[in-house]
Amino acid sequence: MADWGYGENNGPSTWGKHFPIADEGKEQSPIDIQLSDCQEESSLPKLEYSYDSLKDLAITNTGAQWRVDYQPGHSSVTGGPLDAKFELQQMHAHWGTTEGVGSEHVFNGESFDGELHFVHYNTKYGSFGEAVDKPDGLGVFCIFLKVGEANHPEFGKITERMSSILRKGETSTLQAELDPTKLVPEGLEEYLTYHGSLTTPPCLETVTFMIFNTKPMTISKGQMDSMRSLLVGTEDGCDCMTQNFRPPCPQNDRVVKKIKM
Ligand SMILES: [Zn+2]
């Protein structure tokens, strides 16, 4: 496996060397979404999601992100642009060195401070591993992070574990039961959807995105800084994980749809 990352020598502009689709693919993600160009679509069934609150979820420093692994059989996402039942596999986030940058998806050229991804797989393929390379294999919720005054209590169950997974490869367990429902914005009236790719290698074009850009989640500066304190390597003194987002890719002829909840 190539040693990809977000540094000068292994960052997004170099990924195509080992993963040609990153440069040659026509459906790469993220993209810069021009909100006035989105097309309203009203014929889709209602997007429904349900997650159980679970104990003892594993959290890992992958060297590129933190990742919380969810347990199969405890979630379902159906409707909207999805034509089958999808299950939550894992969640992770992207962020920046400073506020003002950090999200992967960008709206009219403007970034949020971070972006949380819920990665679901299509249950018709039986497992995440089988689904990951199928065009309709994955469905990703994008939830945006904004630094404000208050701690987000549910998100805090994740960020309080950063000190126990400081180095790449370290794994720990969430101390409190995590309810993913409390991380999805409340009172959503609409979302955006389009077909794109994993935003990290291998950049497979297998993702249906569902983007909740109208209601970002507010987290505290302390919560954001705890994510920035993660290390990208296995030794003390290596670089901090301060910037782990891919810049926008060409939209090409893809249309972003706007769906009412
Ligand atoms: Zn992601």
Side-chain angles (χ1 to χ4, degrees), residues 65 92 94 104 117 199-200:
Q65 280 107 10
H92 63 266
H94 305 266
E104 300 212 288
H117 284 159
T199 65
T200 55

Side-chain angles (χ1 to χ4, degrees), residues 160-228:
E160 73 180 10
R161 301 308 292 158
M162 295 296 121
S163 57
S164 62
I165 56 160
L166 273 185
R167 295 166 207 84
K168 178 180 178 174
E170 291 183 338
T171 289
S172 184
T173 307
L174 298 189
Q175 301 295 290
E177 209 172 281
L178 185 76
D179 185 356
T181 313
K182 292 185 178 156
L183 299 174
V184 181
E186 276 183 74
L188 279 173
E189 288 167 353
E190 61 178 50
Y191 62 95
L192 304 175
T193 185
Y194 79 101
H195 193 262
S197 76
L198 298 173
T199 65
T200 55
C203 300
L204 300 168
E205 295 179 341
T206 60
V207 180
T208 300
F209 284 98
M210 288 150 280
I211 299 175
F212 306 133
N213 59 306
T214 56
K215 302 235 172 189
M217 173 199 292
T218 299
I219 66 170
S220 67
K221 171 108 171 105
Q223 290 180 315
M224 177 61 89
D225 283 343
S226 68
M227 299 196 290
R228 292 178 180 139

Side-chain angles (χ1 to χ4, degrees), residues 68-220:
V68 170
D69 292 314
Y70 204 65
Q71 291 160 10
H74 292 280
S75 62
S76 76
V77 181
T78 55
L82 308 175
D83 64 357
K85 185 181 141 188
F86 282 56
E87 279 245 17
L88 182 59
Q89 171 77 15
Q90 50 107 326
M91 57 188 87
H92 63 266
H94 305 266
W95 57 89
T97 310
T98 58
E99 281 86 77
V101 292
S103 66
E104 300 212 288
H105 288 93
V106 173
F107 303 90
N108 296 342
E110 299 230 3
S111 301
F112 288 98
D113 302 332
E115 183 167 338
L116 176 62
H117 284 159
F118 279 21
V119 182
H120 310 84
Y121 68 91
N122 191 330
T123 56
K124 80 178 185 190
Y125 297 116
S127 70
F128 176 80
E130 286 296 316
V132 68
D133 60 352
K134 309 297 189 299
D136 61 349
L138 302 181
V140 172
F141 280 8
C142 303
I143 298 158
F144 295 90
L145 306 177
K146 211 175 150 88
V147 172
E149 293 298 314
N151 275 309
H152 189 290
E154 202 66 22
F155 195 67
K157 295 174 182 176
I158 296 172
T159 52
E160 73 180 10
R161 301 308 292 158
M162 295 296 121
S163 57
S164 62
I165 56 160
L166 273 185
R167 295 166 207 84
K168 178 180 178 174
E170 291 183 338
T171 289
S172 184
T173 307
L174 298 189
Q175 301 295 290
E177 209 172 281
L178 185 76
D179 185 356
T181 313
K182 292 185 178 156
L183 299 174
V184 181
E186 276 183 74
L188 279 173
E189 288 167 353
E190 61 178 50
Y191 62 95
L192 304 175
T193 185
Y194 79 101
H195 193 262
S197 76
L198 298 173
T199 65
T200 55
C203 300
L204 300 168
E205 295 179 341
T206 60
V207 180
T208 300
F209 284 98
M210 288 150 280
I211 299 175
F212 306 133
N213 59 306
T214 56
K215 302 235 172 189
M217 173 199 292
T218 299
I219 66 170
S220 67

Side-chain angles (χ1 to χ4, degrees), residues 11-57:
S13 65
T14 70
W15 293 350
K17 267 191 289 182
H18 295 287
F19 306 95
I21 195 171
D23 290 338
E24 294 161 11
K26 295 283 181 270
E27 295 199 338
Q28 289 292 294
S29 294
I31 56 175
D32 181 352
I33 296 173
Q34 299 303 304
L35 293 171
S36 59
D37 291 346
C38 296
Q39 285 183 11
E40 288 199 32
E41 159 86 58
S42 56
S43 64
L44 295 180
K46 187 171 163 46
L47 180 67
E48 313 232 40
Y49 53 85
S50 156
Y51 305 109
D52 289 346
S53 184
L54 292 183
K55 283 198 289 201
D56 298 330
L57 292 173

